[in-house]
Amino acid sequence: MHLADHQIPTRSGKKADPRIGRPAKRASGQPGGVPWPWLLPALLCLILARFLPTLAGAGYAFTDWNGLSGARFVGPANFEEIFTDPLALRALRNTIVIALVVVCAGNLVGLLLAMGLNTVVKSRYLLRAVFFLPAVMSSLSTAYVWKFLFQTDGIINHALHWLHLQDQPRSWLADPATALWSVCLVMIWQMTGLAMVIYLAGLQAIPADLDEAAAVDGASPWRRTLAVTLPLLRPATMIAVPLVSIVALGTFDQVMSLTGGGPVNMTETLATQVYKQTFANGRYGYGTALSLVLTLIIVVVALVQMVAVRPRKDTP
């Protein structure tokens, strides 16, 4: 028998061609993976349990349904009210402000922490756990802890007075000038650890030879960061930025726990308005319209960010 006509079994049990040492191709008619019909039951359950109820619920955005009586079709009246009502416009503005501040500050601080903890430091594993801890804590419990810190006789006012940065204690959450920024601070503190872990994974995937080669060529640390590190962090950025944006745009727990939307509606967001208009005021149609606007904003922002920070074709 000729050697070419004889197939040698491999470790996996498949027969391999001795001339190329690779597994032989499957015979025609044998399935190469999971047949598509097997996925139909799971796909059908997903459509019936997730997509159809969502689409059916979205139809109430064009009604004035109060949850008890029959729904009356009003067309785009709910959406017109959203973009003319001062409270809804303030909630929209606050949502955008929180998202911009949290995404920029959270990702920047997370990147700096990741670069600092990527070095050989004895306590780096402990520090990583400490900085990541807020990201896995309950948003509700975290907000209540910060609410205690923000009190007039809280630690923040005492620390600022001890540092001679302010003379009189300030009510941070009751002051319209500082309430929204206080919410942003809590969000940044909670999201920084998540961004740090993502960037740290991206930094550890960068070959050390590239940075060493740039150093041999005389590039400064700042130049190496701009020319080598940041371009190779695009895959990590593609995950961190949209993820933090989605969480920030849907801010609800922190606002309801810290301020409840006050003072004088200065910290209202679209998510809090969806809850209040739907369950407190009984305007289910209007609340559904608000949720659709929020969903559309999240989808558009996430897609734009993913396209903007996606890795280039020439990036290794």
Side-chain angles (χ1 to χ4, degrees):
M1 181 183 296
H2 197 273
L3 182 60
D5 298 330
H6 181 70
Q7 292 183 337
I8 303 175
T10 60
R11 293 182 180 179
S12 61
K14 301 176 182 179
K15 295 182 178 181
D17 191 336
R19 294 172 297 179
I20 58 177
R22 297 179 180 177
K25 295 183 178 180
R26 294 178 180 267
S28 59
Q30 293 184 355
V34 178
W36 276 103
W38 292 9
L39 300 178
L40 291 180
L43 184 61
L44 183 61
C45 291
L46 180 63
I47 293 175
L48 293 177
R50 183 67 181 270
F51 295 114
L52 286 184
T54 301
L55 293 176
Y60 287 104
F62 301 93
T63 68
D64 64 347
W65 187 45
N66 59 7
L68 298 176
S69 60
R72 183 173 65 90
F73 181 78
V74 295
N78 289 327
F79 297 95
E80 294 175 359
E81 182 179 352
I82 292 175
F83 294 102
T84 56
D85 181 24
L87 180 57
L89 292 177
R90 182 182 295 276
L92 176 60
R93 181 185 66 86
N94 291 340
T95 301
I96 296 175
V97 170
I98 292 175
L100 288 175
V101 173
V102 173
V103 169
C104 295
N107 280 277
L108 178 60
V109 177
L111 176 60
L112 295 177
L113 289 176
M115 296 178 67
L117 296 177
N118 194 39
T119 58
V120 180
V121 181
K122 291 184 178 180
S123 59
R124 64 185 184 276
Y125 297 110
L126 176 61
L127 292 176
R128 292 174 186 176
V130 170
F131 287 122
F132 182 66
L133 184 61
V136 297
M137 293 176 60
S138 170
S139 300
L140 192 63
S141 60
T142 299
Y144 277 119
V145 171
W146 276 95
K147 188 174 184 178
F148 173 77
L149 298 177
F150 279 128
Q151 289 181 352
T152 306
D153 57 347
I155 297 176
I156 295 179
N157 280 319
H158 283 295
L160 293 176
H161 180 73
W162 182 74
L163 295 173
H164 302 285
L165 296 178
Q166 70 177 15
D167 297 330
Q168 299 296 329
R170 172 175 292 186
S171 182
W172 298 93
L173 299 177
D175 188 349
T178 59
L180 184 63
W181 305 112
S182 300
V183 174
C184 291
L185 178 61
V186 176
M187 290 291 298
I188 293 171
W189 180 79
Q190 192 168 15
M191 299 306 301
T192 295
L194 179 61
M196 179 202 70
V197 170
I198 297 174
Y199 286 122
L200 188 60
L203 288 172
Q204 293 179 347
I206 298 177
D209 298 341
L210 298 177
D211 188 73
E212 295 175 357
V216 171
D217 291 338
S220 62
W222 176 251
R223 180 61 180 173
R224 296 200 302 270
T225 301
L226 294 178
V228 178
T229 305
L230 293 183
L232 295 178
L233 274 180
R234 279 182 172 267
T237 306
M238 187 177 178
I239 299 175
V241 173
L243 185 59
V244 175
S245 300
I246 292 173
V247 176
L249 287 171
T251 301
F252 175 79
D253 296 347
Q254 294 83 356
V255 174
M256 293 299 294
S257 303
L258 291 170
T259 64
V264 291
N265 302 321
M266 290 300 296
T267 58
E268 287 286 355
T269 63
L270 287 177
T272 60
Q273 274 297 292
V274 170
Y275 169 77
K276 291 181 179 180
Q277 295 293 343
T278 303
F279 299 104
N281 299 338
R283 302 185 61 189
Y284 287 87
Y286 185 65
T288 304
L290 282 168
S291 64
L292 284 180
V293 172
L294 178 58
T295 302
L296 181 62
I297 292 175
I298 292 176
V299 171
V300 171
V301 170
L303 291 178
V304 170
Q305 290 176 342
M306 291 178 65
V307 172
V309 301
R310 65 181 177 181
R312 299 175 181 175
K313 295 182 179 180
D314 56 349
T315 303

